[in-house]
Amino acid sequence: MTRLSNGQHFPELRIPAIGGSGTLSLPDDLAGHFGVVLLYRGSWCPYCNAQLAAFRRAADTLLWLNVRVAALSVDDEETTRALVEKHRLDFPVGYGADAGEVAEATGAYVNDAPGERRYLQSTGFVLAPDGTVITAVYSSGAIGRLVPDDVAGLVRYLRDHG
């Protein structure tokens, strides 16, 4: 498992999704826009709930900056649908991701506690319109994640100095 570096093309991921076409196709679904990909631990994680809700609240700013957001986890469809409804998420949210496959493709950390269901640790990517990684935020535990204000600031900087 190798973490993605800036400038590297984001790997192709196909995950079942709530909303949209029914399939989250990354990075294709974000093509032509700045993109944010959020790998979250699961609906049970309060920090992940806060992160997803924050991206929902920042929707107008991100839309104005031409930023699209997508998120995914190992949660099942019913659990993911409840999370989307609870926070009124208006971006695609993938479910049923294979933690090992996503970790292998992206370098995300996976929990290693014996007897626990495998899940992805919080990982966030900001992608350029061509699908290359601008920055990545990897967390090995409960805290440390990408936030919408950082994304907006980065995109503003790139637009002004790019």
Side-chain angles (χ1 to χ4, degrees):
M1 156 174 76
T2 304
R3 287 188 270 303
L4 298 176
S5 299
N6 295 353
Q8 195 172 357
H9 199 277
F10 192 82
E12 289 186 14
L13 297 176
R14 304 286 181 260
I15 309 287
I18 304 298
S21 68
T23 302
L24 182 57
S25 299
L26 297 172
D28 297 346
D29 288 353
L30 308 173
H33 307 269
F34 286 98
V36 172
V37 178
L38 304 172
L39 311 182
Y40 67 98
R41 300 169 84 209
S43 64
W44 52 268
C45 173
Y47 303 106
C48 299
N49 274 261
Q51 179 191 40
L52 296 170
F55 272 91
R56 169 61 183 105
R57 288 189 305 274
D60 290 342
T61 299
L62 296 174
L63 178 65
W64 185 80
L65 291 168
N66 194 30
V67 177
R68 288 193 178 167
V69 178
L72 63 97
S73 79
V74 301
D75 282 350
D76 62 35
E77 182 177 8
E78 181 179 327
T79 304
T80 303
R81 187 174 310 283
L83 178 73
V84 167
E85 290 171 3
K86 175 183 176 182
H87 295 295
R88 297 185 324 267
L89 302 178
D90 57 357
F91 48 83
V93 181
Y95 63 89
D98 180 291
E101 287 178 14
V102 174
E104 183 66 31
T106 65
Y109 292 98
V110 176
N111 71 314
D112 288 325
E116 283 188 17
R117 181 175 181 215
R118 281 187 98 193
Y119 59 84
L120 297 158
Q121 295 291 1
S122 179
T123 311
F125 302 93
V126 179
L127 306 181
D130 66 358
T132 57
V133 175
I134 296 172
T135 195
V137 177
Y138 289 90
S139 177
S140 60
I143 61 172
R145 57 193 24 86
L146 194 60
V147 296
D149 286 346
D150 289 346
V151 172
L154 175 61
V155 170
R156 283 185 184 108
Y157 177 85
L158 292 171
R159 288 174 61 183
D160 291 346
H161 296 94

